[in-house]
Amino acid sequence: MMPEHTVSSFDAELKELGRKIVEMGGQAERLVADSVGALIRRDGTAAQRVVVMDAAIDHMQRDIEEKAVLVIAKRQPMASDLRDIVATLRISNDLERIGDLAKNVGKRVLAIEGEYHPQKLVRGVEHMTDLVLEQLKEVLDAYAGRDEAKALEVWRKDASVDTMYTSLFRELLTYMMEDPRNISVCTHLLFCAKNIERIGDHATNVAETVYYMVTGNMLSDDRPKADASSETTVTFPTRTLQG
Amino acid sequence: MMPEHTVSSFDAELKELGRKIVEMGGQAERLVADSVGALIRRDGTAAQRVVVMDAAIDHMQRDIEEKAVLVIAKRQPMASDLRDIVATLRISNDLERIGDLAKNVGKRVLAIEGEYHPQKLVRGVEHMTDLVLEQLKEVLDAYAGRDEAKALEVWRKDASVDTMYTSLFRELLTYMMEDPRNISVCTHLLFCAKNIERIGDHATNVAETVYYMVTGNMLSDDRPKADASSETTVTFPTRTLQG
């Protein structure tokens, strides 16, 4: 049995790691919202800020990794405590990737600055982002509250993000086919949409980690998958262009 | 001072982790080569195999993570030994991502099965892949040989992958604009090319980790970046379509 004061400082270290994850999660949420906000408002300055701010998230990830490894080495935690610390390692990786993806959206906003933005399609990306941000918020709440039921709920909802992405993918392709002048901007919107969809995947990863952290069990490997876009093609509308 | 036999079994555990990374790296290389091979030969069966095989890489990553964490907890390693183990955690993450990206290429091959493949552009993807596979091989050699000079070399060469990707991106966009019937297949090729470029990024991450593992120093955050595609637009060739 460890002396009382050692146990308490171990608890304090675990809490500190948890606080850092929540902080990093908040920062990741903000970056995602800001990057898509910049896309909608065509705000190059805001997009540039997202690109710069991503470095702070990378730094948080390294900090959490370092502290987590030191706690493992110093405390030799067993079972559920070890799962807690491994969870911080995994979640910080996913949040770091989310930051990267938001940065990428920011870069695309800069790329299409000044070009015509098809409002309907931009709104499609916005709508998808709302859903993904909701997922991200819920899963961070699930982490903070150690709530495996909530994590499971997030995990189950990923399919609706994927469905939305697949339909947006089709729409963007159709738009390009109807008027080749849309190709450049729609390609960048396609990559934006893909980035948002992948942010949803990382939120789902976090849900799996929270579930594992709380219960010690892995969610089935059969993640609900409804993104069929990589298997989707859109038939060239011959009629429209030849008729 | 630890008793002799403890030191040796610690060494054996480190070697075992290293062996697992090399094995996982070989598996990731194979998946990348197979996915692009399937694209070139339009081989749906091979593409399907890549999609299935990715699960083995995911499994390896979890196995390495679990073993690395146990070694940290059991041995409480300091300094350079700790860097070694943290390196296995980081590299296995990058290799797992590489597997995912190869799987994605595999899925795209299935999507465009039966469609017309513009040979010139497929060759562009192939050429990029050759360079990325070379980078991946070199960095795994650098890891196995603890060779920081070689890691630095890989790190410096990422810019040429990015340059190649940016030029392919332009070419694909131009191709779509010239004939809208190419849009669907070119979009999938764009995503394939992007996946390969990102595999190159992960090889560069591994180079940074190897450098850190051997020297204890971080490579500058100013990674050589020459992928300007997310900032690239291609002007609609009015002449071609209106003339």
Side-chain angles (χ1 to χ4, degrees), chain A residues 65 90 111 188 198 232, chain B residues 65 76 90 188 198 230 232:
Chain A
E65 180 189 74
R90 288 187 191 164
H188 286 291
R198 286 179 49 231
T232 295
Chain B
E65 181 189 72
Q76 307 166 59
R90 288 188 191 164
H188 286 292
R198 287 179 49 230
S230 60
T232 295

Side-chain angles (χ1 to χ4, degrees), chain A residues 141-159:
Chain A
D141 286 352
Y143 172 77
R146 311 182 62 79
D147 184 341
E148 83 268 27
K150 200 167 206 166
L152 193 59
E153 211 179 290
V154 170
W155 188 76
R156 288 212 177 101
K157 267 195 298 196
D158 186 49

Side-chain angles (χ1 to χ4, degrees), chain A residues 122-136:
Chain A
V122 171
R123 254 183 235 307
V125 176
E126 184 182 18
H127 194 41
M128 227 179 101
T129 309
D130 289 343
L131 194 61
V132 166
L133 276 174
E134 175 76 19
Q135 289 277 82
L136 193 51

